[in-house]
Amino acid sequence: MNAAEKKKVSVVVPFLNEEQNIPVFYERTTRAMEGRPEELEIIFVDDGSTDGSARWVAEKAKQDARVKLLRLSRNFGHQIAITAGMDYARSDAVVIIDADLQDPPEVIPELIDKWREGFEVVYAVRESREGETWAKKFLAASFYQLFRRLAKIDVPVNAGDFRLVDRKVVEALKQVRELHRFMRGLTCWVGFSQCAVNYHRAARHAGQTKYPVWKSLRLAVDAVTSFSGAPLRWLTGVGMLIGVAGAVVLVYVVVRRLISPIGYEPGWATIIAFMLFLGGIQLVSLGLIGQYVSRIFEETKKRPLYYVREEIGLGK
Ligand code: UDP
Ligand code: MG
């Protein structure tokens, strides 16, 4: 293979306080890529870490030119950290992978091989997942089902952010600057030819998850509200159903009143129950509309997605 054909691959690694994992991650990734024909760069994106992880990467970058560091000015969240890494990558393909070794770096060469076959998005599908709570697995499974139905895009079930994307896809994604980003949804939404590689998702190498259930739920709400207006349409449906039911009851009450000698319908408890029920539905509906309105509010401000505090080896 001549030099002109030599392809470059960036591995983008967002991290938040992963000092126990990053050195092992570096070892395993560089070992997995040994002997590969592709030129490698590892872009570590520091998403506001407060431990020694960024320092470790900065030191490593002095010894190994393949290691690059991008430090964001604060914690912007996993999805934005991924975006930042992609913005700075200068390569033919970008691999997105977590720093906690749940996504094994040994799978990266498999992703690259598929990409070499001509696929533009190669996502890694979790055949099994270890060390995650029952609740998280259940929520994840239900979420993917719901999201697929709502967003009408074929987001693969059980694929996280671990994937390889071609330069063309990176350029497409760079044009999408929405603040609430659901990257797995977006990489499917932009299209291109996609293909899956199976892997076994390990437990975290060390440390705690930074995605507790409530944060995962927030990501799910972000995903749904940024990809689909269907919940708003459901509200209309629910409103209409209740309206029709109300009309039927009204006719019944009037007719009863006309033909019955006793002048009133008893039912204080029923009224209260219905009022609470309706009140609940109305408040939930308002909250849901509020979700969309706040999205509009935040997007219209057009704030930058992130700020960079320091970069080593990148140079945009
Ligand atoms: N992460 C990040 N910013 C955050 C939260 C997490 O960069 O605000 C990183 C984290 O260090 C890890 C990856 O994103 O490399 C995935 O996070 P985590 O392992 O906590 O999520 P889980 O795998 O449990 O869903
Ligand atoms: Mg993890």
Side-chain angles (χ1 to χ4, degrees):
M1 188 181 297
N2 63 39
E5 266 180 13
K6 187 154 183 166
K7 299 273 189 196
K8 185 171 171 186
V9 174
S10 311
V11 175
V12 166
V13 199
F15 68 90
L16 172 65
N17 299 336
E18 304 279 6
E19 69 184 343
Q20 288 164 294
N21 295 323
I22 286 180
V24 187
F25 175 88
Y26 166 81
E27 286 304 325
R28 279 179 55 184
T29 306
T30 45
R31 202 172 327 127
M33 291 296 289
E34 245 164 48
R36 295 284 316 185
E38 297 84 14
E39 188 187 334
L40 171 72
E41 75 172 353
I42 309 179
I43 305 180
F44 287 96
V45 185
D46 173 19
D47 189 19
S49 298
T50 48
D51 67 353
S53 9
R55 219 173 310 124
W56 188 91
V57 177
E59 276 307 308
K60 201 72 200 173
K62 287 183 193 155
Q63 304 156 15
D64 185 344
R66 295 172 299 178
V67 175
K68 322 262 163 103
L69 174 63
L70 184 67
R71 297 187 72 191
L72 304 186
S73 59
R74 62 169 168 86
N75 177 255
F76 282 93
H78 183 205
Q79 304 288 305
I80 296 218
I82 293 174
T83 309
M86 275 197 191
D87 288 347
Y88 276 77
R90 294 281 169 274
S91 54
D92 303 295
V94 172
V95 175
I96 297 147
I97 183 168
D98 288 351
D100 60 1
L101 296 162
Q102 279 195 282
D103 309 327
E106 292 72 24
V107 178
I108 297 176
E110 284 178 50
L111 301 182
I112 298 177
D113 288 339
K114 282 282 173 203
W115 168 63
R116 291 234 176 219
E117 281 174 28
F119 292 99
E120 288 145 335
V121 176
V122 188
Y123 50 85
V125 173
R126 303 154 179 172
E127 260 183 341
S128 56
R129 36 209 286 179
E130 230 176 70
E132 289 183 87
T133 59
W134 180 86
K136 190 161 174 167
K137 283 189 213 171
F138 174 75
L139 281 174
S142 352
F143 164 73
Y144 282 115
Q145 290 304 333
L146 178 77
F147 185 78
R148 280 168 69 91
R149 209 160 286 171
L150 282 181
K152 301 206 171 58
I153 48 172
D154 260 343
V155 104
V157 173
N158 262 329
D161 286 306
F162 183 22
R163 58 188 61 208
L164 176 147
V165 291
D166 182 79
R167 169 60 31 198
K168 278 178 254 169
V169 182
V170 175
E171 291 305 322
L173 286 171
K174 273 166 123 175
Q175 290 174 37
V176 182
R177 297 316 274 183
E178 60 193 54
L179 208 54
H180 294 274
R181 318 170 67 73
F182 182 57
M183 294 305 285
R184 320 165 201 181
L186 288 176
T187 43
C188 287
W189 178 80
V190 294
F192 300 95
S193 62
Q194 316 228 348
C195 135
V197 162
N198 287 332
Y199 78 111
H200 165 74
R201 185 154 165 99
R204 255 178 173 275
H205 175 71
Q208 288 286 317
T209 173
K210 279 100 198 170
Y211 266 105
V213 166
W214 68 269
K215 242 180 160 179
S216 305
L217 277 177
R218 211 170 61 186
L219 184 66
V221 172
D222 267 0
V224 169
T225 48
S226 60
F227 272 91
S228 168
L232 290 175
R233 289 192 290 280
W234 294 346
L235 287 185
T236 321
V238 171
M240 275 158 82
L241 269 180
I242 295 179
V244 169
V248 170
V249 173
L250 185 70
V251 169
Y252 166 79
V253 169
V254 169
V255 171
R256 270 285 294 263
R257 170 77 178 80
L258 290 177
I259 60 177
S260 146
I262 308 164
Y264 70 96
E265 284 291 327
W268 182 84
T270 327
I271 292 174
I272 294 292
F274 271 111
M275 269 180 58
L276 287 178
F277 172 67
L278 276 182
I281 289 189
Q282 282 168 350
L283 286 180
V284 168
S285 310
L286 275 179
L288 191 58
I289 297 171
Q291 286 282 346
Y292 284 91
V293 175
S294 80
R295 281 302 123 82
I296 301 172
F297 168 61
E298 277 163 24
E299 297 296 347
T300 50
K301 287 191 281 192
K302 295 231 177 311
R303 288 191 183 163
L305 292 181
Y306 58 85
Y307 290 104
V308 172
R309 182 169 155 203
E310 187 189 0
E311 46 165 287
I312 298 178
L314 287 160
K316 202 180 177 186

